[in-house]
Structure formats: structure tokens, C-alpha cells
Amino acid sequence: MTDFLKKYGYAPDREKINGIIERIASNLESIKSEKVFKDCFSMMDLTTLKTNDTVSSVAKLVGKVNDFAEAYPDYPLPASVCVYPNFASVVRDTRNSPELHVTVVSACFPSSQSFLEVKVRECELAVENGADEVDIVLALNAFLAGDYETASAEIRSIRTAIDKVAASQGREVHLKVILETGLIPSVEDIANASFLAMEAGADFIKTSTGKVDVNATPVAAYVMCECISAFYAKTGKKVGFKPAGGMSTAQDALCYYSIVSTVLGKEWLNRDLFRFGVSRMANHLLSAIENKTVNFF
């Protein structure tokens, strides 16, 4: 089993991290601005992952984004609409602008409990149907058992498969790996999962599915961002960060924006390297910017 912490010279300091997060929390008012809120809005993966999602309901959400561009011409679009893989083509065919990416959760989300062949094929089908970005869940059945090689091999297999499909269409696709940090027992294990996913080919590492009791937390986010920094220092590859689940307010957005800014710097504060996985935050950000209650989405 690879000793990732030794390999990347990283050891999470829980006491130090807690102290920095407390300072970040006490300083949020000082960074609050229309520009920051609009930046956060532009980095949202606007998400609907309901059991009762339908073609009609997904098309309606994308239609709202299309209408938003006309109603709020001075605002950026969200980065993407995130849906189950069977709705990828709905987002692709309904959006007015390719700037709005098609994101899917795939590979037997949210549990990642199935045969690898099933996970790979689902991801391939998603890309065939228009997915620009594929979010998968780390195989915790292997990772928590200490079988890092199996967990890593699964990510590599999916990476290879979706790249092949995308190349056949003359485009590229991004892979986000969800660690499900609320089910990982220690910050050291979160760090190991982060390095494993990045080495296996993740373009982004993501905190959570939003489908378990504990989702994104500032501590998990801070550790993951420190791992991204250490990985970049050693490899020169910039990997993105996506907190998801357990956040909805403009204040939540400021918190994670500040963590990324503190650990990774301004060059990570863009939609290419930072996303929010959200279903409720959009209206809160709009309300904060407009200084009145807005219920557009």
C-alpha cells in the first residue's frame, strides 16, 4: 500500500487547521462583495439528483438557466447543470450555450457498489450522450479495506474509457472523483484518498455526494486543498476542488471560497479549478447580490 503522506511530504495538522478555519470564519465579512458572490455563482454545478427527476423537470431547470441569461445579462452563467447520467442528453439538447457544461454523476452513484464493467459502461454512455464532466465516487469498499490498488485501478479504468469516447467525438471530458469524506475515518485517510484519486487521473477531487449524514466540512476541504497544493508542487499538475453537500447559503460559499483562496491562491478561484456542488445555493447568492429575496431557481 502506497504511503502517500510520505511520498508527498504531507502530514495534516488538525490543531493548526482548526485554528486557521476559525480565523477564516471570523473574517468572512471582510471579503463579502458583489464580485466574490458572482464568482461563486459562476462556479456552481447547479444540481438536481432526485428520485423523481424526469425529462421534463430537468429540461425545466436548464430552461431556467437559459432564461437567467436574458433576465440577468450582467451575471455569469453557472458552470454546469449536474444530473443523473440518463439525463445528459436532455441538458445538452436544452441548453442555449455550450458554456453551460453537462455534468453527470455516474459509476453507480452514490454508493459505487457494483461491478466495474457496469460502472465503466455507465460512464461511457453518459459521455456518448453529451456529458462534459463525469463525477464518480471513490470505491470505498476497496479503499476502506486498505486495497488502494483496486480503488486506484477503478478510477484509471473509467478515466481511460471516458477519454476514448470523448476523443471519438473530437472533444475532452473532465473526471471528478468524490471521496465521500464523511465516511472516511480520519484526516490522514482523507489525505490518502485525495492523493490516490489525483494520481489515478482525477481532474477534480470532490468532498461528498450529498447523500450521507456528513457531507462537505471545512476541515475536509482544507485537507483536500492542502493535498492539491502538495500534488501540484511535486507534479506540476493543477487539480480542481469541489465541495458538495451540506451547504446552501451565501455564507457557506464565502467559507469555501476563502479556504481555496487561503490554501491554493487566486489562480484556483475560477470555474476550471473550483466548483460548488449545489442545489439550493443559487437563490441565496442572487439574494445576497441583489439585497433582496430572489427565488429564480
Side-chain angles (χ1 to χ4, degrees):
M1 186 169 69
T2 302
D3 186 345
F4 289 113
L5 302 190
K6 182 178 180 181
K7 180 175 181 178
Y8 289 94
Y10 175 67
D13 184 334
R14 187 65 181 260
E15 185 176 344
K16 177 185 173 184
I17 291 169
N18 286 337
I20 294 172
I21 288 173
E22 286 179 11
R23 290 196 294 275
I24 286 173
S26 66
N27 195 48
L28 292 183
E29 289 297 316
S30 69
I31 68 162
K32 185 183 292 185
S33 71
E34 179 179 318
K35 181 186 182 304
V36 169
F37 284 139
K38 283 187 174 180
D39 285 347
C40 290
F41 189 90
S42 75
M43 296 183 286
M44 290 189 310
D45 289 344
L46 196 61
T47 301
T48 180
L49 298 173
K50 299 174 184 174
T51 302
N52 61 343
D53 282 339
T54 63
V55 168
S56 172
S57 67
V58 171
K60 183 177 179 181
L61 176 61
V62 181
K64 286 183 178 180
V65 180
N66 293 338
D67 293 342
F68 179 80
E70 296 183 12
Y72 292 86
D74 295 330
Y75 280 65
L77 288 177
S80 80
V81 170
C82 179
V83 295
Y84 285 114
N86 47 307
F87 295 116
S89 63
V90 179
V91 182
R92 178 197 61 197
D93 296 342
T94 308
R95 63 182 175 177
N96 284 347
S97 170
E99 180 186 341
L100 181 72
H101 285 187
V102 180
T103 298
V104 300
V105 293
S106 195
C108 301
F109 175 97
S111 69
S112 192
Q113 296 283 16
S114 191
F115 302 100
L116 177 58
E117 294 87 349
V118 174
K119 298 180 189 181
V120 168
R121 187 61 185 136
E122 185 180 61
C123 292
E124 289 174 334
L125 285 167
V127 176
E128 287 172 14
N129 282 273
D132 300 302
E133 306 177 8
V134 178
D135 293 17
I136 67 171
V137 183
L138 173 69
L140 289 177
N141 50 14
F143 179 81
L144 294 177
D147 185 359
Y148 287 8
E149 179 50 41
T150 294
S152 176
E154 180 167 299
I155 297 169
R156 294 195 303 269
S157 294
I158 292 170
R159 169 93 264 177
T160 299
I162 63 174
D163 284 347
K164 183 176 180 180
V165 175
S168 73
Q169 300 175 338
R171 60 193 186 93
E172 295 181 351
V173 66
H174 289 150
L175 179 66
K176 305 191 198 86
V177 177
I178 305 164
L179 307 185
E180 200 69 287
T181 54
L183 298 181
I184 295 179
S186 71
V187 289
E188 289 78 14
D189 288 324
I190 291 172
N192 278 320
S194 298
F195 288 124
L196 182 154
M198 290 187 287
E199 280 200 356
D203 295 305
F204 273 74
I205 52 175
K206 175 178 170 182
T207 60
S208 322
T209 61
K211 302 295 186 182
V212 297
D213 291 339
V214 178
N215 291 288
T217 66
V219 169
Y222 201 95
V223 170
M224 290 169 68
C225 286
E226 286 197 315
C227 292
I228 290 170
S229 178
F231 187 77
Y232 175 60
K234 191 171 183 68
T235 68
K237 180 183 178 182
K238 291 181 178 177
V239 173
F241 171 66
K242 179 178 174 179
M247 55 187 183
S248 61
T249 68
Q251 202 78 349
D252 291 334
L254 287 179
C255 175
Y256 289 101
Y257 180 97
S258 296
I259 288 171
V260 172
S261 179
T262 298
V263 181
L264 294 168
K266 292 182 179 179
E267 58 190 300
W268 255 263
L269 297 176
N270 59 76
R271 57 181 277 170
D272 293 331
L273 291 168
F274 183 27
R275 297 289 181 85
F276 294 97
V278 298
S279 56
R280 296 174 294 165
M281 187 182 285
N283 287 331
H284 288 287
L285 286 171
L286 290 175
S287 298
I289 296 166
E290 296 290 324
N291 291 309
K292 62 182 181 182
T293 301
V294 178
N295 290 304
F296 191 92
F297 291 99

